[in-house]
Amino acid sequence: MSSAEQPHEEEHHDEVATNYVPPPPKSIGELVAADQEDESLRKYKETLLGNAIVENIVIEPDNPKKVLVKKLVLVSEGQTEKTLDLSGDISQLKQTVFTIKEGVQYRIRIEFYVQHEIVTGLKYIQKTYRKGIQVDKMTHMVGSYAPKKELQSYTTPLEDAPSGLLYRGHYTVSSLFTDDDQNEHLKWEWSFEIKKDWN
């Protein structure tokens, strides 16, 4: 939660409507077949797509999803990383409460796999609530990713935790990993507490 967006009970953060219409999705095969006569573009695609050009990258054969979100990691300089495992029963995540020291800067890293096809326009949306009232909303454009056997990740810009007695306490977060095509790759809830110190 940025220091510029301290909690206010009646504050609402609505997304600004845009006229942007994402291009129709294309398979890896269609992308590779296009513009074959352009040598530099062909080489660029090979670099971008890697092994996905010659093989179908599948991490979990029984899972049709293109994006498999595995972890959320809270990163703050000088502190041990705090991790939420998103690969299991996500209904229990609210029971695990992160402690964040007031006034510190922190980032959130999301670790995920991409399989089957390219995913375009990935977005991470986070809404923060206190006592049932939305007090903050962040939307981060994550980007487009080709399938890879390796774990991929996105780290948010630095955020400032609020400070002062008024802002200490329990917060609930609703997180969503989505994309240009409105696919809901994963939606989960988790919690944190702003405290005077890390302990």
Side-chain angles (χ1 to χ4, degrees):
M1 183 183 326
S2 62
S3 55
E5 294 184 289
Q6 302 288 354
H8 297 291
E9 287 196 352
E10 296 181 5
E11 191 171 356
H12 296 283
H13 300 273
D14 296 323
E15 286 192 55
V16 177
T18 67
N19 294 326
Y20 173 70
V21 177
K26 288 188 175 182
S27 70
I28 291 174
E30 289 171 318
L31 286 171
V32 171
D35 307 307
Q36 279 294 311
E37 68 283 353
D38 187 329
E39 181 71 13
S40 61
L41 187 55
R42 186 181 61 76
K43 286 184 176 177
Y44 171 73
K45 286 186 211 174
E46 286 175 1
T47 302
L48 184 68
L49 298 171
N51 287 345
I53 288 179
V54 293
E55 64 177 308
N56 182 24
I57 306 290
V58 179
I59 307 301
E60 295 179 5
D62 297 330
N63 192 335
K65 288 190 172 188
K66 288 197 273 186
V67 180
L68 310 172
V69 188
K70 295 297 181 182
K71 287 181 186 176
L72 179 142
V73 184
L74 184 71
V75 181
S76 186
E77 191 172 336
Q79 294 296 310
T80 303
E81 293 184 350
K82 300 171 191 277
T83 302
L84 274 183
D85 182 357
L86 302 174
S87 61
D89 182 1
I90 60 173
S91 68
Q92 300 302 310
L93 293 179
K94 279 205 294 188
Q95 311 308 317
T96 304
V97 180
F98 285 158
T99 295
I100 301 176
K101 180 182 176 182
E102 63 180 0
V104 301
Q105 291 189 311
Y106 66 94
R107 300 177 196 268
I108 291 171
R109 185 176 73 241
I110 299 169
E111 299 181 358
F112 57 94
Y113 289 102
V114 176
Q115 64 176 5
H116 301 303
E117 291 290 347
I118 292 172
V119 62
T120 58
L122 270 178
K123 282 187 283 192
Y124 174 63
I125 301 170
Q126 175 177 299
K127 296 177 182 178
T128 305
Y129 299 85
R130 187 171 186 201
K131 298 177 182 174
I133 297 165
Q134 185 177 314
V135 295
D136 190 38
K137 179 177 179 182
M138 301 187 307
T139 300
H140 294 290
M141 297 307 297
V142 176
S144 299
Y145 290 80
K148 283 188 181 176
K149 292 179 179 177
E150 298 78 28
L151 197 62
Q152 303 187 66
S153 68
Y154 169 77
T155 303
T156 65
L158 276 173
E159 295 288 330
D160 296 310
S163 62
L165 186 61
L166 182 64
Y167 302 111
R168 292 179 202 153
H170 187 86
Y171 294 81
T172 302
V173 182
S174 175
S175 290
L176 172 64
F177 217 44
T178 183
D179 62 27
D180 278 347
D181 298 318
Q182 308 303 313
N183 294 308
E184 189 176 288
H185 300 296
L186 192 67
K187 187 174 185 178
W188 70 99
E189 291 189 353
W190 53 288
S191 301
F192 66 86
E193 284 192 11
I194 300 291
K195 291 188 175 181
K196 195 171 181 179
D197 213 328
W198 287 105
N199 297 326

